[in-house]
Amino acid sequence: MEKERIAWIDVARGFAILFVVLGHSIGYLDDEVNQFVLSFHMPLFFFLSGLCADEPKIGFFSYLKKKAKALLIPQITLGAVNCASFAVFGELSAEQALDNFLYWFLLVLFYVSLLFYGLSKIGLRKPVVGAGVLVVLLAAIILLDAFPISTPIRVELVPMAMLFYLAGFALKPALTNAERAGTAPIDRLWVLGIPLTAVVSYWNGPVNMSKNSYGDLPLFLLGAAAGIAFVCGLSRNLKSNGFLAWYGRNSIIIYVLHFRVLDMMHFVGKKLSEQIAQINQYRYPANLHYFLICILLFVPIVYVCERWLPFFFGKKPVRRGKLPLKTN
């Protein structure tokens, strides 16, 4: 039986995927808006995944099959779509093809999910075990910051991703208990998150989780926590927003396709206007226009993918006649 979805978490995922699209619409790490977005949006995804995690009650191979379907099939789709796009424009090399299939986020989330399975079997909620795991993760994060490494399969990104995943899992009882709705500190203090995140992201400068590059680690962790608190608190107040919830429920499809949708719009824009062709389309105001167009384009794109291509995104087929913006 599919477990009941928590409305505000779908809304938070909606914010998270829109931040991803906005960040890639901007493109430049040194852009002030992108610095703000990058300071917390990928930690937010791992936090929300941990918030939705349950201690597995099935065997490892059943769990592996479930996670492979949910995460590795979309990963393969992402690689195939990217390779097809690069091949059309004559830019595909063997190295580029490998990078396309090993793009980091879904791959790291898969690793984190498997590690979570193992940790849950040794009693993750036991204080001694939890404290020991936290110490090991922080030590690994500090060592990787001091002696950075880069691997093709992105295992160096796991400690930081796991930290936020486990933070979500640890806070799950407090944040998903319907009887305590409105009483958690996040429901009262979330408004402080946005100015704190903005200040910290300005001081710390650009971060890039895909490269394990965080600037000053304490500042990054503070900014990421503040950004997560802001989005979660705001989402708990907007839990009936069907637009954001729909984006959240379809965040995997949007994530897989948004790179190429942006490329397609850039290509079309250059063909339509010589003036557009002469400007940097990753700079304001062009990037904002592309972001807004992207938001609209994904309604029919996701509807088609949900209806006829769900397998390629690790999703079950939707019931015939289901409206794309319908809330749960």
Side-chain angles (χ1 to χ4, degrees):
M1 179 183 294
E2 184 177 353
K3 66 180 181 181
E4 184 178 355
R5 300 185 73 100
I6 299 174
W8 75 263
I9 295 180
D10 281 335
V11 172
R13 285 188 190 275
F15 275 120
I17 194 60
L18 290 178
F19 279 131
V20 168
V21 178
L22 176 60
H24 288 138
S25 298
I26 295 171
Y28 288 92
L29 296 181
D30 60 352
D31 181 274
E32 290 83 359
V33 175
N34 215 9
Q35 282 187 208
F36 172 79
V37 169
L38 288 165
S39 67
F40 71 89
H41 78 312
M42 297 316 295
L44 172 63
F45 262 120
F46 288 107
F47 179 87
L48 293 174
S49 296
L51 201 59
C52 294
D54 292 316
E55 294 187 53
K57 295 180 174 60
I58 57 178
F60 175 73
F61 288 104
S62 296
Y63 183 82
L64 177 64
K65 180 180 177 181
K66 176 182 176 182
K67 291 302 177 181
K69 179 182 177 181
L71 298 172
L72 294 189
I73 289 179
Q75 177 78 10
I76 294 170
T77 302
L78 171 63
V81 169
N82 287 353
C83 285
S85 176
F86 285 120
V88 167
F89 292 100
E91 301 173 355
L92 184 64
S93 65
E95 182 180 358
Q96 183 67 59
L98 182 62
D99 287 343
N100 287 334
F101 283 100
L102 294 177
Y103 200 76
W104 75 280
F105 170 63
L106 293 174
L107 198 59
V108 172
L109 184 55
F110 178 71
Y111 298 153
V112 166
S113 299
L114 297 187
L115 183 57
F116 173 74
Y117 182 95
L119 292 175
S120 68
K121 294 304 179 182
I122 62 174
L124 191 54
R125 290 199 181 275
K126 297 176 182 177
V128 174
V129 174
V133 170
L134 179 60
V135 169
V136 170
L137 286 178
L138 290 176
I141 289 168
I142 292 170
L143 283 173
L144 286 168
D145 185 60
F147 306 100
I149 62 171
S150 179
T151 65
I153 58 173
R154 313 296 185 141
V155 292
E156 70 276 10
L157 306 179
V158 170
M160 186 65 81
M162 194 75 205
L163 180 68
F164 287 104
Y165 189 96
L166 291 181
F169 178 70
L171 292 174
K172 181 176 182 175
L175 294 181
T176 61
N177 188 335
E179 295 179 359
R180 298 178 60 185
T183 64
I186 201 171
D187 292 308
R188 299 187 296 272
L189 301 176
W190 63 269
V191 293
L192 301 177
I194 189 166
L196 181 57
T197 305
V199 170
V200 169
S201 67
Y202 177 78
W203 279 347
N204 194 32
V207 303
N208 188 348
M209 194 169 184
S210 69
K211 303 293 185 183
N212 237 8
S213 174
Y214 305 108
D216 183 89
L217 274 177
L219 276 180
F220 165 72
L221 292 173
L222 175 61
I228 290 170
F230 166 70
V231 172
C232 290
L234 179 60
S235 299
R236 286 160 74 89
N237 285 276
L238 296 174
K239 60 184 178 182
S240 60
N241 189 298
F243 177 81
L244 288 167
W246 179 82
Y247 271 90
R249 291 194 301 273
N250 294 290
S251 58
I252 292 291
I253 296 176
I254 295 169
Y255 172 78
V256 167
L257 297 179
H258 80 279
F259 301 98
R260 304 288 70 89
V261 172
L262 281 169
D263 283 349
M264 177 190 70
M265 289 194 295
H266 287 183
F267 176 78
V268 172
K270 289 178 180 179
K271 293 297 183 182
L272 289 177
S273 168
E274 291 184 4
Q275 184 178 4
I276 294 177
Q278 293 172 2
I279 66 173
N280 187 334
Q281 297 184 84
Y282 286 100
R283 292 296 188 186
Y284 179 85
N287 53 24
L288 179 60
H289 294 158
Y290 284 128
F291 169 66
L292 295 174
I293 294 170
C294 233
I295 292 175
L296 297 176
L297 282 179
F298 271 120
V299 174
I301 290 172
V302 170
Y303 182 76
V304 169
C305 292
E306 269 198 313
R307 178 59 62 88
W308 288 289
L309 303 169
F311 170 80
F312 295 100
F313 302 93
K315 296 172 69 72
K316 296 179 180 178
V318 296
R319 295 190 304 273
R320 188 168 295 276
K322 183 177 178 181
L323 296 176
L325 294 180
K326 184 177 179 181
T327 58
N328 284 345

